Every structure is written in structure tokens, then in C-alpha cells.
Amino acid sequence: MNAARKKPEDKRSSPRAQPSQGNIPLGPLEKSIGYALRRAQVAVFADFMSHIGDAGLRPAQFSVLLVIRETPGLKQSVVADALGIQRTNFVAMVDELQKKGWLDRVPADRRSYALHLTEAGEAKIAEALAMHTAIERRIGRLLGPGGRASLLEHLRIIATTLADAERDDGQRA
Amino acid sequence: MNAARKKPEDKRSSPRAQPSQGNIPLGPLEKSIGYALRRAQVAVFADFMSHIGDAGLRPAQFSVLLVIRETPGLKQSVVADALGIQRTNFVAMVDELQKKGWLDRVPADRRSYALHLTEAGEAKIAEALAMHTAIERRIGRLLGPGGRASLLEHLRIIATTLADAERDDGQRA
DNA sequence: TATTGTTATACTCTATAACTATA
DNA sequence: TATAGTTATAGAGTATAACAATA
């Protein structure tokens, strides 16, 4: 996912890219929700990176700062759990955000930390959120007024229903 | 993405998981198309892995076999490009599928290969496709008749429009 | 005893640079 | 000169196991 990196190669000297390769049929993939979800998600994240990534802020980090901004003082494990990140992988993320000066670990008791944004973190997330809002509005224009709400609802249904099913499978096993 | 792996820990001895942690508000993330896309995509891939992953077939590999089944004899780089995979990363994928006996490299000229499914590959993809179809139908039931088609169209618009914008950015740079 | 944070580790996915052989 | 496949490498993301300190 690094659409922000330079693209030094931009030859495309010939008008058509490939010989005899108009559009390769993807078969059942073309009607697959899973595949369409992946392609759309990749595109949106690349778009995010090209607009916000220059600030050194990746999507996952953006989500962390937003949650802490919404509720300052949350414990590491609570933030990680809310975002579906394992606490073991969350350690390095907080380390990095702290090293960048956007976030502080404030001791809550002697084994846990309360997470708070620094002033720099508040400024950074405000700036990133403004660009994120612009991106979302652009998507809204693409899909039409009801389209965006409809899409959000469909995605919510899929995420919650399938995630619950996974959890049930785990319990049954 | 490894939902198929065992889940040995299933304690949940206490009725509620966390103290004072009902539902953490995610703020603007709750209305974010990008975040909703990610959560839905993760859920669908986990669902895929829990049903098809036991066969040792991951989503990306599934997509490769499907494309080759649809059009046997395609070159490596054409398949990779059609799926948005860089040809440099595609080499190991083909190696692995070939090692599993699902796919063959047939020399086309002296620098390129035509990809074909083996008999075992045909059987494997037929089996996986049946399960994939069942998964897709389940999503169809979740979203209602028009919902699934609407979702597919929205995802297609997002993927194509944003991907094109990225390409234009690259050209302008 | 259960929770919290942590380290170590490994595997997948993705990205770039550079190379060989061939068209 | 451009294309096809390849290798090497690096950075993210995500998964599990095991541990110390604390509640």
C-alpha cells in the first residue's frame, strides 16, 4: 500500500500497454463480493496514502489517533480491541506514534497506561481528518446521496454478521 | 488473515469481557467508507479462510486459479496484471501453486510461460468455487435481492474511479 | 487467577531495484 | 529497445507463544 512513494518509471512509450490483451475475463470473480471488496479497499487506502500519507500517517495510525481523540484516557488494550488490533501488535504502533510525538502513555495504575494525544497529535489528526472528510465527500458524490449511506449499511451488515459467525465458530470448536 | 488456525484460548470465564467497556465510540470512523471497507473485507476474507482455507487455498491463490480456468494459456504477467499483482511478487505464487500440483507452466516462447490448470487444479478450484458460491449466496440473503447488486456496483465505481485517479496522479507527477 | 503490557518469532502481502534472457 | 521472468530485499500487517508485573 504505498501509493505515496515516487513512481520513477512512467515510460508508456507505446500507445497500448499489452499486445492482444484488451480485458482479461475474471470469470466468477467479477461477481464476487469478496473480490470487489478487496479491490475497492485497496483503491481507497491508496487514495488515503496519496493524500494523507505524506504526513507519515498510515490508515491504521489514523484510526488509532481518532479513537483516542474521541475518548482520551483509554487503555491500550481497549483501543486495540475496539479497532480489531491484537494488543501484542498494538505495542509497536503506540511506540511509533509516541516516538513521533503525537501520543502519550500516562500511567493509569502500575500495569496499564491511559492514552492521550499530545498537542502535536491533536494538530496532526485535525489536519488528517479534514483531508479524510474531503475524500469521503468525494466518494459521496461518486455514489450519489443515498448511495453512500446504502454502502455503509451494507458494509456494516457484512462486517458484523460475518465477524459474529466467526466468533460462534470459535466457541463451538 | 488466518482464521482457520486453531483458537486454543476460549476462556471467557466472566460474563462480561471488559470492565466499563461497553462500546467504545469510534468517532468519525463510524461514518468512514474506508474504515467500513476494511472491516468488511477482513470479515469476508476470514469467512473465506474458515470455509475454504482448510484446503490450503488462500483468497489470492483462489483468484489466480479462477482466472486461469477462465482463460487457459495466459502468460504469467498477464494474469498478474489482471489481478493487480506485480509480476515480481507473482513468481513465488505460481511456484507455490505449481508445487501443490494445481498449475503448470507450459513454455510459450523461450522467455514466457503459458499457465494451465492441472487436473488436480481443476478439481480443487471446482470444489473451492462451490463453497465460494455458497458464501456469496449467504451474503446475498443478508443484503436482500437488490442489495447485493447495489453493493457490487458501488464497489466497482469506487475501485475503478479511485484507481484511475491514482494512475492520473502518477502521470502528472 | 485474570489482566496488562511486553518480547520474540514467523508468515503473508506488497513494493523497489537490478539482473538475465529473449523478442 | 522493450518484454518476461526472476532474485534479493525491505517494510508493513497479522498471527501465536511465552513471559513479568500487577490487579
Side-chain angles (χ1 to χ4, degrees):
Chain A
M1 187 84 33
N2 224 324
R5 285 189 192 163
K6 310 303 162 291
K7 297 165 183 169
E9 306 232 2
D10 208 87
K11 318 285 182 69
R12 74 189 179 297
S13 46
S14 46
R16 74 278 176 274
Q18 300 287 349
S20 78
Q21 181 220 348
N23 273 343
I24 302 299
L26 301 184
L29 283 185
E30 285 166 10
K31 293 296 178 187
S32 163
I33 294 286
Y35 184 71
L37 270 174
R38 174 177 165 270
R39 296 304 294 254
Q41 196 253 316
V42 166
V44 169
F45 270 36
D47 194 58
F48 180 100
M49 287 304 293
S50 74
H51 289 95
I52 307 181
D54 293 326
L57 194 63
R58 278 161 288 155
Q61 298 175 323
F62 174 72
S63 68
V64 170
L65 296 186
L66 269 189
V67 168
I68 298 172
R69 186 177 97 136
E70 193 70 17
T71 311
L74 289 174
K75 282 187 301 181
Q76 271 192 212
S77 38
V78 172
V79 175
D81 192 67
L83 290 171
I85 304 170
Q86 299 195 50
R87 73 187 195 286
T88 172
N89 293 323
F90 196 57
V91 175
M93 279 195 67
V94 174
D95 285 350
E96 193 176 352
L97 291 171
Q98 194 172 22
K99 186 156 51 182
K100 293 202 178 193
W102 295 337
L103 181 152
D104 266 340
R105 285 176 166 110
V106 178
D109 52 32
R110 284 200 294 180
R111 72 171 171 179
S112 66
Y113 297 115
L115 300 182
H116 295 270
L117 298 187
T118 63
E119 281 192 26
E122 297 273 8
K124 176 61 63 178
I125 193 59
E127 168 197 352
L129 183 55
M131 280 186 285
H132 176 264
T133 303
I135 292 176
E136 292 285 322
R137 267 202 292 261
R138 179 178 169 213
I139 295 178
R141 286 194 300 271
L142 280 179
L143 303 184
R148 186 173 174 283
S150 160
L151 173 58
L152 262 183
E153 175 65 4
H154 288 152
L155 295 175
R156 189 194 60 76
I157 291 174
I158 288 175
T160 58
T161 308
L162 296 192
D164 287 352
E166 287 302 303
R167 191 205 51 200
D168 292 345
D169 286 350
Q171 290 184 349
R172 247 181 274 117
Chain B
M1 188 82 32
N2 226 324
R5 285 188 192 164
K6 309 303 164 288
K7 296 165 183 171
E9 307 231 2
D10 208 88
K11 317 286 181 69
R12 75 189 176 297
S13 46
S14 46
R16 73 277 176 273
Q18 301 285 348
S20 77
Q21 181 220 349
N23 273 343
I24 301 301
L26 301 183
L29 283 185
E30 285 166 9
K31 293 295 178 188
S32 164
I33 294 286
Y35 184 72
L37 271 174
R38 173 175 166 270
R39 296 305 293 256
Q41 196 253 315
V42 166
V44 169
F45 270 36
D47 195 58
F48 179 100
M49 287 303 293
S50 74
H51 288 94
I52 306 181
D54 294 326
L57 194 63
R58 276 160 289 156
Q61 298 175 323
F62 174 73
S63 69
V64 171
L65 296 186
L66 269 188
V67 169
I68 297 172
R69 185 177 98 137
E70 193 70 18
T71 312
L74 290 174
K75 282 187 303 182
Q76 270 192 212
S77 36
V78 172
V79 175
D81 192 68
L83 290 171
I85 303 170
Q86 299 194 51
R87 72 187 193 286
T88 172
N89 293 323
F90 196 57
V91 175
M93 278 196 67
V94 174
D95 285 350
E96 193 177 352
L97 291 171
Q98 195 172 23
K99 186 157 52 182
K100 293 201 177 192
W102 295 335
L103 182 154
D104 266 340
R105 284 174 165 110
V106 178
D109 53 31
R110 282 200 295 180
R111 70 172 172 178
S112 66
Y113 297 114
L115 299 182
H116 294 271
L117 298 188
T118 63
E119 282 193 25
E122 297 273 6
K124 176 61 63 178
I125 194 60
E127 168 198 352
L129 184 55
M131 280 185 284
H132 176 265
T133 304
I135 292 176
E136 292 286 322
R137 268 201 292 260
R138 179 178 169 214
I139 295 179
R141 286 193 301 272
L142 280 178
L143 304 183
R148 186 172 174 283
S150 159
L151 173 59
L152 262 182
E153 175 65 3
H154 288 152
L155 295 175
R156 189 194 62 75
I157 291 173
I158 289 175
T160 57
T161 308
L162 295 192
D164 286 352
E166 287 304 303
R167 190 204 52 200
D168 292 345
D169 285 351
Q171 290 183 351
R172 249 180 274 120

